[in-house]
Amino acid sequence: MRSAARTALLALACAAMAGPFLWMAATSLMGQLEVFSPGRILPASPLWSNYPEALTAQPFARYFLNSLVFAVAVVAGQLATATAAGYAFARLRFPGRDRIFMLFLATMMVPVVVVLIPRFLMIDALGWIDSYQGLISTELVSVWGIFLMRQYFRTVPRDLEDAARVDGAGHWRIFWSVALPLAKPAVATLGLFAFVDAWKNLLWPLLVTRSMEMRVVEVGIAAFHSTYEINWPYQMAAGVVAVLPIALLFLFTQRYFVRGIQLEGIR
């Protein structure tokens, strides 16, 4: 009975999580007026033409390219900064190390919306509004990524680093040739989380981009509200296509998502 109850609860939880996506997929195949039909859940006659029409109504090829450039640059930046800072907090000794690390962690309690205006003013002062520099530069450091890498580097045996130090290796050589190769699971996890977070980012790209040439996918989907007076089938079709890359990525990298949750508890 316990096993059956547990299975039933898990099934209900999965249905609750998958329900919005399934509703989105069903709505993407309806007609514009059919969406408002009372009690209508599934399309009477699937309109597969909604997908090409939605993706050609706006320059989604450009949006996808911008999202890809944005996500790849963010992944590269966060991997570089998080691995270096995480190793420094885990292995190097310098005055105020623990206090500085706690200060870093304290910034995670600050809501994102609080720092949006200061970030925007800084980017505007640099003349980077509506550019890749403005879109990417503020996302290159992840405090969560630094915390993750610091926790993982603390689990790396010191004996390997001591052996390299006896051979004359310095801090940079030890980091690059010893610690970083051993931290590949954490690096892969951080890269995966950074990519997903950048791909689904809406608020900052919406604020810092102005032209259609610089929009990312999420901003392009939101634009259907104003351009097509809330054409729900088109918007849902574009949403399904935008979710597919992340869904496929998750199917092939589930263990890294799970590993990321486990690494957060490492001390």
Side-chain angles (χ1 to χ4, degrees), residues 15-53:
M17 295 297 294
F21 178 77
L22 297 177
W23 174 83
M24 179 173 65
T27 304
S28 69
L29 298 174
M30 294 182 181
Q32 189 171 358
L33 298 179
E34 187 181 8
V35 174
F36 303 100
S37 299
R40 176 68 66 184
I41 298 177
L42 299 175
S45 179
L47 299 177
W48 296 101
S49 59
N50 285 346
Y51 282 84
E53 290 175 3

Side-chain angles (χ1 to χ4, degrees), residues 189-223:
T189 301
L190 174 60
L192 182 61
F193 274 76
F195 183 89
V196 173
D197 185 64
W199 185 269
K200 64 184 181 65
N201 197 331
L202 169 66
L203 192 56
W204 177 246
L206 180 64
L207 184 65
V208 80
T209 59
R210 304 284 176 81
S211 63
M212 296 184 67
E213 289 75 16
M214 289 304 303
R215 285 179 178 174
V216 297
V217 173
E218 295 294 332
V219 178
I221 294 174

Side-chain angles (χ1 to χ4, degrees), residues 13-250:
C14 291
M17 295 297 294
F21 178 77
L22 297 177
W23 174 83
M24 179 173 65
T27 304
S28 69
L29 298 174
M30 294 182 181
Q32 189 171 358
L33 298 179
E34 187 181 8
V35 174
F36 303 100
S37 299
R40 176 68 66 184
I41 298 177
L42 299 175
S45 179
L47 299 177
W48 296 101
S49 59
N50 285 346
Y51 282 84
E53 290 175 3
L55 296 179
T56 55
Q58 294 195 50
F60 269 93
R62 178 70 183 187
Y63 297 167
F64 274 98
L65 176 61
N66 291 338
S67 290
L68 183 62
V69 172
F70 178 48
V72 170
V74 168
V75 169
Q78 291 191 10
L79 288 181
T81 56
T83 54
Y87 180 78
F89 283 124
R91 287 292 190 258
L92 303 185
R93 297 184 180 277
F94 52 89
R97 182 190 67 176
D98 295 336
R99 291 186 177 87
I100 294 174
F101 181 67
M102 292 303 298
L103 183 62
F104 266 80
L105 293 184
T107 62
M108 297 178 66
M109 296 186 293
V110 180
V112 176
V113 294
V114 173
V115 297
L116 275 180
I117 294 178
R119 288 168 61 185
F120 178 82
L121 293 177
M122 291 172 61
I123 296 301
D124 185 41
L126 292 171
W128 288 353
I129 296 296
D130 203 35
S131 68
Y132 282 122
Q133 302 96 301
L135 189 63
I136 295 168
S137 58
T138 61
E139 307 293 328
L140 296 180
V141 177
S142 168
V143 177
W144 177 85
I146 294 173
F147 170 75
L148 177 71
M149 295 308 305
R150 184 250 191 184
Q151 299 302 90
Y152 194 89
F153 281 129
R154 293 185 66 183
T155 67
V156 176
R158 287 184 178 270
D159 295 343
L160 300 174
E161 299 179 15
D162 292 338
R165 192 171 289 108
V166 169
D167 291 336
H171 289 303
W172 175 255
R173 186 66 176 177
I174 294 172
F175 164 71
W176 185 258
S177 300
V178 179
L180 195 58
L182 294 175
K184 285 182 180 179
V187 171
T189 301
L190 174 60
L192 182 61
F193 274 76
F195 183 89
V196 173
D197 185 64
W199 185 269
K200 64 184 181 65
N201 197 331
L202 169 66
L203 192 56
W204 177 246
L206 180 64
L207 184 65
V208 80
T209 59
R210 304 284 176 81
S211 63
M212 296 184 67
E213 289 75 16
M214 289 304 303
R215 285 179 178 174
V216 297
V217 173
E218 295 294 332
V219 178
I221 294 174
F224 274 111
H225 276 281
S226 58
T227 305
Y228 291 93
E229 298 180 354
I230 314 182
N231 189 321
W232 288 114
Y234 278 20
Q235 190 171 34
M236 295 300 106
V240 170
V241 176
V243 167
L244 286 179
I246 297 180
L248 293 174
L249 185 66
F250 174 75

